[in-house]
Amino acid sequence: MELLDAFDKALGEFDRRVHHVAHNQWTAPTPCTDWTVRDLVNHLTSEHLWAPWLLRGATLAEVGDRYDGDVLGDHPVRAWERAAAGSRPAFHRPGALESDVHTSSGLTPAADYAWQMITDLTVHAWDLGRGTGDDQPLDEELVMAVHENVAPAVDSWQGFGVFAPPVPVPDSASPQDRLVALLGRRP
């Protein structure tokens, strides 16, 4: 799966689930033990507000704290829609993935940053589905592409709080279950 196709598919998976959050589900727990459904959507919304800045070459200091705290306000779905509407074209801008971006781990190739965002969108789409009872499976081609991309790096992430340690699953586990388990979730 091509990188931008994976980005679009992952964005769509998360977006669909955001649009299915019922009014009474925003405070529901998610598999991310410290986050409610609202916290999870806030996290991804904030990330996607940052993306256009970073892909234009802004430093972390230039963006500052403008996206800290609650970025959802009174209309979480609309806030997410605005963030996604800015993020998608930023990733698709010609040349956007050919440079480096400033991240908390230093200068990072923009393509690697895109895969980080794809991974976050994908696994948090699963988390959001679990938090709201929307257990429709993720796109299998996307799941396999994310797994292929993150599997070599997952050991190096341990101890940094990026994801919990992998959870064992049987050899017969579905690709989706293998991915979420690799990222520390119990399928």
Side-chain angles (χ1 to χ4, degrees):
M1 177 174 264
E2 295 292 324
L3 188 147
L4 288 174
D5 293 337
F7 179 83
D8 291 346
K9 186 74 74 170
L11 190 71
E13 289 284 354
F14 190 78
D15 183 76
R16 184 182 62 71
R17 286 166 176 81
V18 169
H19 283 91
H20 285 129
V21 176
H23 179 72
N24 65 343
Q25 292 178 316
W26 289 102
T27 58
T30 69
C32 301
T33 56
D34 293 337
W35 286 347
T36 64
V37 165
R38 183 182 174 89
D39 296 330
L40 184 81
V41 173
N42 190 70
H43 166 67
L44 268 289
T45 302
S46 176
E47 280 191 346
H48 286 269
L49 290 168
W50 274 83
W53 289 84
L54 298 180
L55 290 166
R56 284 192 311 263
T59 66
L60 301 182
E62 289 171 330
V63 179
D65 62 359
R66 72 185 75 216
Y67 302 124
D68 289 354
D70 179 14
V71 296
L72 298 180
D74 293 334
H75 303 285
V77 174
R78 274 193 264 163
W80 161 252
E81 289 170 343
R82 282 192 301 272
S87 179
R88 185 181 185 285
F91 278 96
H92 280 268
R93 182 180 52 76
L97 301 178
E98 296 169 9
S99 61
D100 292 335
V101 297
H102 294 271
T103 68
S104 57
S105 59
L107 269 176
T108 302
D112 291 351
Y113 170 63
W115 275 110
Q116 291 169 11
M117 296 289 275
I118 293 164
T119 301
D120 240 19
L121 283 163
T122 303
V123 73
H124 288 320
W126 183 87
D127 293 333
L128 186 54
R130 286 294 169 109
T132 61
D134 180 359
D135 286 332
Q136 290 187 13
L138 297 165
D139 179 86
E140 191 167 323
E141 185 181 8
L142 172 65
V143 165
M144 292 187 302
V146 171
H147 189 279
E148 180 180 313
N149 189 268
V150 301
V154 91
D155 288 339
S156 67
W157 297 344
Q158 297 312 303
F160 290 105
V162 177
F163 293 108
V167 174
V169 291
D171 291 340
S172 61
S174 71
Q176 177 175 295
D177 287 353
R178 284 196 307 275
L179 175 64
V180 298
L182 181 68
L183 299 175
R185 282 128 171 101
R186 297 203 179 279

